[in-house]
Amino acid sequence: MAVAVVVTLDGEVHDPSVPLLHADELAAVRGDGAFETLLLRGGLVCKLDAHLDRMAGSAASMDLAEPDRDRWRAAVEIGVRQWNSISRGDAMLRLVYTRGRESGGGATAYLTIAPVPPRSLLARRDGVSVITLDRGLPAQPAEPLPWLLSGAKTLSYAINMSALRYAENRGAQDVIFVSSDGFVLEGPRSTVIVDAGDALVTPFPEHGILHGTTQRALFEVAAAEGVACRYGALTPADLVAAQDIWMLASITLAARVHTLDGVTRPAGPLAARLPELVDKAVAL
């Protein structure tokens, strides 16, 4: 899964085996930056505009300058050409935008392309075992506490990765965070979707979570094909009662939760159809 392509925002293609960042890069020493991860499928980038929109929102939350969309698109085009000369398989395209070096000199911006991680391919095929964990914060809009960067996709992923290691040590593969006041939030790197029987339901973004690009695309396609979709305030009891639970992400796409807190869950009526809807959604 080694990185195969590296392109900086000036359009320069870099040798992926040569270090790119300085030792005082704030992305490394502070996690001070934003990023987006996109699927590259069939030689094409999925949902680039949606990801650039979200990166702009994250940048605004962090007092970073507005991302230059034209330069990002040009860099992505160069990177995709490089990847397509190597492979036509699914790939992971990561856009990284940071505050730059601690010693100054402006922002750092680059992209990488690598094969889709094996864990994502396995999760798509086999589903995942999940545990619920308390995030320790109430479900609330980001506006009253903007310094917490709720809803921004930042490089500060230490807590998310710690939660995933905690789950792995207990025999699970993923996590669903629950707020301190008892509401379902999101996964460390995914959006939670439940089949409630009458509709597909996902938690309110206003609960301080990242608004998923894959979830939004799915809701558009599913609604057009007659599947009701809505946002709602979900509780752990709703997870237990759901006909099915899914973890959606740009690279993994749709991973069905086959085990929740140690209890095996049978496949629901949309088990076969939902991944097909997600595939259709990200291709549009």
Side-chain angles (χ1 to χ4, degrees), residues 86-103:
I86 300 168
S87 170
R88 298 290 286 188
D90 278 9
M92 178 174 65
L93 167 63
R94 180 178 285 131
L95 313 180
V96 181
Y97 179 38
T98 89
R99 205 171 302 277
R101 299 180 63 182
E102 198 164 27
S103 55

Side-chain angles (χ1 to χ4, degrees), residues 58-269:
S58 297
S61 298
M62 302 178 71
D63 296 321
L64 290 168
E66 171 82 12
D68 188 324
R69 294 170 188 249
D70 289 339
R71 294 182 74 196
W72 275 110
R73 289 191 183 96
V76 167
E77 184 177 344
I78 292 169
V80 169
R81 281 203 303 268
Q82 289 290 116
W83 172 259
N84 288 343
S85 70
I86 300 168
S87 170
R88 298 290 286 188
D90 278 9
M92 178 174 65
L93 167 63
R94 180 178 285 131
L95 313 180
V96 181
Y97 179 38
T98 89
R99 205 171 302 277
R101 299 180 63 182
E102 198 164 27
S103 55
T108 298
Y110 63 95
L111 65 85
T112 64
I113 303 178
V116 170
R119 62 164 176 81
S120 293
L121 298 175
L122 289 173
R124 287 183 199 171
R125 188 190 71 188
D126 300 336
V128 289
S129 172
V130 172
I131 61 173
T132 53
L133 293 180
D134 188 346
R135 182 174 261 176
L137 293 171
Q140 62 182 18
E143 288 80 4
L145 305 171
W147 55 89
L148 294 182
L149 300 177
S150 298
K153 193 170 180 68
T154 76
L155 291 167
S156 303
Y157 256 48
I159 291 175
N160 287 359
M161 302 315 293
S162 178
L164 289 168
R165 288 192 299 273
Y166 183 91
E168 184 178 356
N169 289 336
R170 282 149 184 80
Q173 297 154 302
D174 213 333
V175 167
I176 293 176
F177 285 123
V178 177
S179 68
S180 59
D181 47 354
F183 294 102
V184 172
L185 297 174
E186 59 191 341
R189 51 193 174 201
S190 57
T191 305
V192 178
I193 304 285
V194 304
D195 177 1
D198 63 330
L200 295 176
V201 187
T202 194
F204 289 117
E206 292 80 10
H207 281 183
I209 63 177
L210 186 70
H211 200 175
T213 56
T214 306
Q215 169 264 309
R216 280 181 279 178
L218 168 65
F219 273 24
E220 290 180 11
V221 167
E225 297 201 7
V227 179
C229 303
R230 68 172 186 265
Y231 295 87
L234 296 170
T235 68
D238 294 318
L239 297 179
V240 174
Q243 293 187 347
D244 235 334
I245 309 168
W246 298 85
M247 311 292 278
L248 264 59
S250 297
I251 305 302
T252 300
L253 298 178
R256 193 182 77 83
V257 177
H258 60 65
T259 306
L260 177 68
D261 289 328
V263 178
T264 302
R265 298 180 53 85

